[in-house]
Amino acid sequence: MTTEPALPPPGAAPAPAAPPRPHTAPAEPPSAEPPFTEPPSTAEAFPPAAPAPDLLSAGPERAPRTPRRPRPVLLAVSGLVLGALVGGGVGYAVQAQRPATPLPPIQVARPSYPAVAVDPTAFAAQQPKPLAIDGDLLKLLVSAPDGSAAWGDFPDKPSWLSVGELADRGASAASDFKDLNARGFRRAAEVDWKKDDARYRVSLIQYAPDHAGEAAKHTAAVHLGEAFADGANGGYRVYAEPDHWADSADQFYYGHALAQRGTVVMVVEVFGTKPVNPDVVKDLAKQQWERLV
């Protein structure tokens, strides 16, 4: 950067010369004392007061607020808290001044044993009796006789039966399913076979130990005729009128036997194309009952 004045470009017109200044006398130096000025009047020093506001335009005059009184609920709560604190402090101070009370010693009764030996026979008689039947139900079922054949999809050997399969045998499967579970159904086993135009079914239905009464109700609910064995709390019956298979026009003759032992219900059923022989039902029921006792 340079301090020399910039030259006008070539061909440019020269700038006009400034006119000469006129010669004037130098100004007088300011004096040290300020000039005297008159003090302002009182009216100028104090401006007039603002006019009073119009009360009508400002609204009605409000009454002064009354002092707020404490609420009764707050006083009651404060009194309760304060009373509890004071009472707890006084009680603690009183209890702290009292001497400690020793606790009584722990007393435990010593075990006592009979002076004489226990009779094993009498002790066993006092114990709860075991269930009448609590083994494998498959081993308690009768076997299909020689010369028999399988009955459709039903196995001709003893097999387990679920509660759903058992309920599905009746006309109202849903109702029977709920009824069996409500009455304490535990398990069931069955064997089926076919021989000489007759179909045979033997079932063992067991209920829970605390539902032994349901097994008795199951047996008593069916009207039975004659007893098939001495001491059996059941019987057998043969119907002379034919019945129809479910969802079919085919007829069959029916005979059955029921008995109950403990928590197990024994059911023997015979289906034939002609009237069922009562002796066949009686003999089969007797064979199955003898395997339960």
Side-chain angles (χ1 to χ4, degrees), residues 252-263:
F252 68 93
Y253 291 87
Y254 184 69
H256 69 149
L258 271 81
Q260 177 253 339
R261 174 168 171 78
T263 58

Side-chain angles (χ1 to χ4, degrees), residues 183 207 211-222 258 260 265:
R183 294 191 302 175
Y207 294 86
H211 288 77
E214 301 296 338
K217 292 179 182 179
H218 188 169
T219 306
V222 181
L258 271 81
Q260 177 253 339
V265 176

Side-chain angles (χ1 to χ4, degrees), residues 17-220:
R21 290 185 177 181
H23 294 279
T24 57
E28 295 181 0
S31 60
E33 297 180 1
F36 174 78
T37 56
E38 294 182 1
S41 62
T42 307
E44 294 178 358
F46 299 96
D54 190 359
L55 297 179
L56 296 178
S57 61
E61 185 179 358
R62 296 182 180 178
R65 284 188 177 182
T66 57
R68 217 172 189 184
R69 296 182 179 179
R71 298 180 180 178
V73 176
L74 184 59
L75 289 176
V77 173
S78 302
L80 290 176
V81 174
L82 183 60
L85 294 176
V86 173
V90 173
Y92 178 79
V94 173
Q95 188 66 23
Q97 296 177 359
R98 293 179 179 178
T101 304
L103 297 176
I106 300 177
Q107 298 180 359
V108 179
R110 295 182 178 180
S112 59
Y113 301 95
V116 296
V118 178
D119 185 6
T121 305
F123 181 76
Q126 295 176 358
Q127 301 305 313
K129 295 183 179 180
L131 298 175
I133 299 174
D134 198 24
D136 190 355
L137 296 182
L138 300 179
K139 298 180 180 179
L140 299 178
L141 280 170
V142 296
S143 302
D146 297 336
S148 61
W151 174 13
D153 296 335
F154 302 108
D156 56 350
K157 295 181 179 180
S159 59
W160 294 108
L161 192 66
S162 66
V163 62
E165 294 172 338
L166 184 62
D168 196 34
R169 301 287 175 81
S172 54
S175 178
D176 294 343
F177 180 83
K178 295 179 181 179
D179 185 57
L180 285 170
N181 285 283
R183 294 191 302 175
F185 173 84
R186 180 183 176 187
R187 56 180 179 170
E190 183 179 284
V191 60
D192 302 84
W193 70 87
K194 180 176 67 175
K195 185 178 181 180
D196 300 335
D197 296 333
R199 296 173 174 84
Y200 301 85
R201 173 179 293 161
V202 180
S203 306
L204 296 179
I205 305 170
Q206 188 171 26
Y207 294 86
D210 54 343
H211 288 77
E214 301 296 338
K217 292 179 182 179
H218 188 169
T219 306

